[in-house]
Amino acid sequence: TQLLEQSPQFLSIQEGENLTVYCNSSSVFSSLQWYRQEPGEGPVLLVTVVTGGEVKKLKRLTFQFGDARKDSSLHITAAQPGDTGLYLCAGPNAGNMLTFGGGTRLMVKP
Amino acid sequence: GAVVSQHPSWVICKSGTSVKIECRSLDFQATTMFWYRQFPKQSLMLMATSNEGSKATYEQGVEKDKFLINHASLTLSTLTVTSAHPEDSSFYICSARAPWGQPQHFGDGTRLSIL
């Protein structure tokens, strides 16, 4: 079973601070995806990383895929209250079904 | 972009009632649809996978007679929670995927509250 562990589980920071969320596994993934979910809504895809060592940027969000494709990180620069939400990493298992990490709940206080 | 519509978005009903949730892919043909359950402050847990025209594949621990899934067309899958009880209260989310290798697109979820 391919498991994804996210850390931290919960993060509360002040507006303007930087933060990093981690997604780790003992298994190799062909790709990893990051989603953000707001209360009462479905997850929204932020990015897909495919190549080991790949770095993708989405405005103030920087996503990195580990060289061995077993881990990924999400770094947010100068966090804003609008970044508040549940961040989920997910990767396809052998049956091409998504396995989700436990999520990181981020709260950015103004 | 690909859109998945889920209906209803919120339903409240009495214990013992059966509730049907619809998941539609609006602008693409979804060969596979997935149903997830999410408890407060937790991640998504896959309940079942359905392929158009065939029986759903349920994850371990999910009662197939309790959660009936029908995927009769390439744009519609339904989840029926039969004889719902308060412990079935949860946030149910569907996703849809075009042929193999394509990304999943998620609906906005259905909040089910059983009194």
Side-chain angles (χ1 to χ4, degrees), chain B residues 27-46:
Chain B
D27 53 359
F28 68 101
Q29 293 187 325
T31 50
T32 307
M33 287 187 170
F34 305 87
W35 287 95
Y36 297 84
R37 184 172 182 177
Q38 185 177 32
F39 290 107
K41 299 183 180 181
Q42 293 187 23
S43 187
L44 281 69
M45 297 296 296
L46 180 65

Side-chain angles (χ1 to χ4, degrees), chain A residues 33 35 42-43 96-98 100, chain B residues 3-6 21-25 28 30-37 44 46-51 69 71 74-78 92-98 102-109:
Chain A
Q33 299 176 336
Y35 293 83
N96 204 32
M97 294 182 290
L98 280 181
F100 281 88
Chain B
V3 178
V4 175
S5 174
Q6 210 173 317
I21 303 170
E22 293 186 349
C23 179
R24 295 179 184 273
S25 57
F28 68 101
T31 50
T32 307
M33 287 187 170
F34 305 87
W35 287 95
Y36 297 84
R37 184 172 182 177
L44 281 69
L46 180 65
M47 298 175 64
T49 303
S50 71
N51 292 295
I69 293 172
H71 191 168
L74 285 172
T75 59
L76 174 65
S77 176
T78 60
Y92 292 86
I93 304 173
C94 74
S95 71
R97 187 182 71 193
Q102 297 300 308
Q104 292 184 30
H105 301 280
F106 288 84
D108 279 341

Side-chain angles (χ1 to χ4, degrees), chain A residues 5-37:
Chain A
E5 293 187 3
Q6 279 185 248
S7 61
Q9 291 182 311
F10 182 75
L11 193 55
S12 179
I13 61 173
Q14 293 294 136
E15 181 177 2
E17 292 183 6
N18 301 331
L19 67 116
T20 302
V21 176
Y22 299 94
C23 176
N24 295 300
S25 176
S26 58
S27 303
V28 175
F29 282 86
S30 57
S31 64
L32 281 179
Q33 299 176 336
W34 284 93
Y35 293 83
R36 183 171 76 203
Q37 184 184 22

Side-chain angles (χ1 to χ4, degrees), chain B residues 1-12:
Chain B
V3 178
V4 175
S5 174
Q6 210 173 317
H7 179 80
S9 57
W10 194 10
V11 57
I12 303 173

Side-chain angles (χ1 to χ4, degrees), chain A residues 40-59:
Chain A
E41 298 182 8
V44 174
L45 179 66
L46 297 174
V47 78
T48 300
V49 286
V50 179
T51 307
E54 181 178 9
V55 176
K56 282 191 174 180
K57 291 192 174 183
L58 185 65
K59 296 183 180 178

